C-alpha cells in the first residue's frame, strides 16, 4: 500500500477509537511527509532535533511537530519556537530547560513525562517514584512555561502479547493515579502516549490516547548503527 493509503487506513482505525495518530517520519524524506500530508495527516513525530528543524523549515507551516525521542537539554532551544508536544521528558533538569526556552519564545510548551515500563535496560524514562517526586518538587511547581499534559511509555520489544498488555495496563493504572493525585482539576492532563507499529492495537485496548506509528506507514528504516 502507498503512504497515502496507509495514512487513511490508520487514521480511520485509530481515530475511530478516539485516539490521535502521530505519523513517525524520522529518517524519511520530505516527499514522504508531503504524501502523508496530502492524505490529511497533520501530526508528525521525529526523534532528532536537527532533522525535525530542517523539515519544519521546508514543509507546510500547519504541520504539528512532536519530538518523540530522547531530548538533550542543550538542543531544546532549536525546537522551542515551534514544537507542539515533547513526548520524552525524563528529568527535572530537562523540564527546567524546556521552561526556560519556552519563556524566551513567549510560549507554554506541552510535555509528556516518559515513564519506564519496559523490561529492558536500555530505555530512557522515569520510574513511578521518580515521576511522583518530580511532580511534588518545588522546582517543578515554580515552572510557568511548561504544561504536563500526560505520560508516555515504550513497552518491551517483544511479541508476547500478554506481557505487552500487562505493561500498558500498568501504565494506564499509574496514569489514572497521577491524574487523581496531581491533576484532578486540570482537564489538559489527558494524554497517554503508548503504542507503535507492532503493539498499537494492544496499547489502544489498554487505554492509549496517542499512538506513534512509523514503519507501518512509511516502510522500514535502516537498522540503527
Ligand atoms: C521510532 C519510534 C516510534 C515508531 O516506531 P515504529 O515501530 O516504526 O512504528 C515510536 N516511538 C518512538 C519513541 C520512536 O522512537
Amino acid at each position: 500500500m502507498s503512504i497515502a493509503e496507509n495514512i487513511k487506513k490508520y487514521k480511520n482505525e485509530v481515530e475511530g477509537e478516539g485516539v490521535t495518530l502521530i505519523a513517525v517520519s524520522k529518517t524519511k524524506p520530505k516527499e514522504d511527509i508531503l504524501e502523508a500530508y496530502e492524505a490529511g495527516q497533520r501530526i508528525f513525530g521525529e526523534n532528532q532535533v536537527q532533522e525535525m528543524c530542517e523539515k519544519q523549515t521546508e514543509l507546510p507551516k500547519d504541520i504539528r511537530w512532536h519530538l518523540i525521542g530522547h531530548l538533550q537539554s542543550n538542543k531544546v532551544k532549536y525546537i522551542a519556537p515551534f514544537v507542539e508536544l515533547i513526548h520524552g521528558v525524563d528529568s527535572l533538569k530537562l523540564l527546567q530547560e524546556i521552561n526556560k526556552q519556552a519563556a524566551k519564545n513567549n510560549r507554554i510548551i506541552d510535555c509528556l513525562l516518559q515513564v519506564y515500563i519496559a523490561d529492558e535496560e536500555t530505555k530512557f524514562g522515569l520510574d513511578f517514584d521518580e515521576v511522583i517526586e518530580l511532580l511534588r518538587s518545588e522546582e517543578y511547581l515554580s515552572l510557568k512555561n511548561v504544561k504536563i499534559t500526560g505520560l508516555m511509555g515504550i513497552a518491551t520489544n517483544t511479541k508476547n502479547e500478554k506481557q505487552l498488555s500487562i505493561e500498558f495496563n500498568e501504565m494506564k493504572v499509574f496514569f489514572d493515579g497521577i491524574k487523581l493525585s496531581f491533576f484532578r482539576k486540570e482537564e489538559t492532563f489527558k494524554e497517554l502516549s503508548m503504542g507503535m507499529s507492532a503493539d498499537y492495537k494492544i496499547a489502544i485496548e489498554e487505554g492509549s490516547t496517542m499512538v506513534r506509528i512509523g514503519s507501518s506507514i512509511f516502510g522500514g528504516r535502516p537498522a540503527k548503527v
Side-chain angles (χ1 to χ4, degrees):
M1 287 212 289
S2 69
I3 292 170
E5 286 167 329
N6 287 333
I7 287 291
K8 288 188 183 126
K9 169 179 173 264
Y10 283 100
K11 261 178 100 65
N12 245 323
E13 180 181 348
V14 313
E15 288 176 3
E17 307 267 358
V19 171
T20 304
L21 174 65
I22 319 296
V24 176
S25 49
K26 61 188 185 193
T27 79
K28 299 296 175 184
K30 290 182 284 278
E31 298 73 48
D32 288 7
I33 299 179
L34 271 179
E35 184 178 342
Y37 178 88
E38 273 150 23
Q41 182 64 19
R42 289 295 177 273
I43 307 179
F44 292 88
E46 292 282 339
N47 70 340
Q48 298 287 339
V49 164
Q50 193 186 341
E51 185 178 343
M52 186 163 93
C53 290
E54 283 170 15
K55 288 172 171 172
Q56 191 270 338
T57 310
E58 293 172 36
L59 287 161
K61 290 296 168 261
D62 61 340
I63 287 182
R64 297 153 57 190
W65 295 99
H66 287 202
L67 204 283
I68 59 169
H70 181 66
L71 175 59
Q72 286 171 300
S73 293
N74 61 0
K75 296 197 173 158
V76 173
K77 56 179 176 287
Y78 302 114
I79 60 170
F82 66 88
V83 68
E84 179 175 73
L85 179 63
I86 299 176
H87 288 237
V89 177
D90 60 0
S91 71
L92 178 62
K93 176 172 158 273
L94 177 58
L95 200 58
Q96 286 170 317
E97 178 63 16
I98 297 169
N99 184 72
K100 180 173 148 197
Q101 298 301 335
K104 279 193 189 162
N105 287 278
N106 278 314
R107 300 187 63 205
I108 294 173
I109 296 182
D110 289 353
C111 296
L112 306 178
L113 295 179
Q114 181 168 352
V115 184
Y116 180 87
I117 50 171
D119 182 20
E120 286 169 7
E121 277 303 318
T122 54
K123 298 267 161 74
F124 293 101
L126 299 158
D127 65 28
F128 290 174
D129 289 344
E130 289 168 332
V131 171
I132 292 166
E133 192 185 327
L134 187 156
L135 293 173
R136 278 192 184 142
S137 68
E138 294 289 331
E139 292 92 335
Y140 161 68
L141 292 169
S142 71
L143 303 178
K144 299 281 179 272
N145 291 79
V146 287
K147 189 163 69 196
I148 294 179
T149 59
L151 304 177
M152 179 270 216
I154 302 175
T156 302
N157 184 4
T158 174
K159 290 195 164 54
N160 182 337
E161 297 195 355
K162 184 96 213 295
Q163 183 178 351
L164 290 168
S165 292
I166 290 171
E167 290 178 4
F168 288 137
N169 177 256
E170 277 175 8
M171 185 78 185
K172 168 70 167 146
V173 170
F174 182 65
F175 172 88
D176 289 341
I178 291 293
K179 168 99 188 145
L180 272 177
S181 307
F182 295 95
F183 297 96
R184 190 190 284 259
K185 295 198 192 93
E186 285 163 67
E187 276 169 34
T188 50
F189 185 90
K190 61 181 167 58
E191 303 297 355
L192 187 48
S193 168
M194 56 186 199
M196 329 205 314
S197 292
D199 57 18
Y200 76 96
K201 281 187 204 234
I202 300 173
I204 291 174
E205 279 169 23
E206 299 297 340
S208 170
T209 68
M210 282 185 165
V211 290
R212 310 176 307 268
I213 300 185
S215 47
S216 292
I217 294 172
F218 295 105
R221 294 175 298 269
K224 266 188 233 162
V225 280

